[in-house]
Amino acid sequence: MTTPSALERPTDVPLPRRLAALAVLLPATLLAFLPPRHIRAVLGLLRRGAVPATPAQAQRARDALCAASLRCAGPKGCLPRSLGAALLCRVGGTWPTWCAGVRVVPPFTAHAWIEAEGSPVGEGVPDGYFARLVVVAPPSRPTDR
């Protein structure tokens, strides 16, 4: 999954946040090997009890993943980057909307990203640029099961 982009590697991420990003990177990378329905099931379990992430919280998590991993910062790292950012948000008690889908304009490339408050986080594209095919949104109530 990828979309053409030139990502910059954040340099202002504090060391503890980078270490936390490294800690979730292995589980995120392993999750990326699963079929989409299994990814959705695992993320559905992990989001339980979380509150929706704000755009700032989601951006901090995404930045930490990009700072900790060159692969996540690259144009072909969208799946582990988005999964890792979602997991990092969850460590902090929040949950962004995790999405996988395609661009709506040719070429129709696959992509994975996170959203907060209905907008893609850190993607540099307008709302509606991607069509969502798989979505794991925050629970409607923190006690949803």
Side-chain angles (χ1 to χ4, degrees):
M1 294 185 171
T2 186
T3 188
S5 62
L7 299 176
E8 292 183 22
R9 196 163 183 201
T11 57
D12 59 345
V13 178
L15 181 61
R17 193 105 174 118
R18 285 179 193 240
L19 294 175
L22 284 173
V24 301
L25 189 56
L26 178 60
T29 302
L30 294 175
L31 268 176
F33 285 106
L34 296 177
R37 66 187 172 105
H38 291 132
I39 293 173
R40 181 178 19 198
V42 170
L43 295 182
L45 290 172
L46 293 175
R47 73 177 183 162
R48 290 181 179 178
V51 297
T54 65
Q57 291 168 325
Q59 184 67 54
R60 282 193 301 272
R62 187 182 189 282
D63 287 348
L65 263 292
C66 291
S69 166
L70 281 175
R71 180 168 187 240
C72 287
K76 294 186 179 185
C78 66
L79 187 54
R81 176 177 62 242
S82 64
L83 290 168
L87 295 177
L88 190 55
C89 281
R90 184 61 187 102
V91 168
T94 64
W95 188 261
T97 300
W98 180 84
C99 306
V102 296
R103 289 181 6 171
V104 297
V105 295
F108 299 103
T109 57
H111 189 54
W113 67 99
I114 58 170
E115 294 182 355
E117 297 179 2
S119 296
V121 174
E123 296 296 328
V125 297
D127 293 351
Y129 186 80
F130 299 114
R132 300 159 140 204
L133 300 176
V134 181
V135 177
V136 181
S140 56
R141 296 183 325 260
T143 58
D144 276 358
R145 300 200 183 258

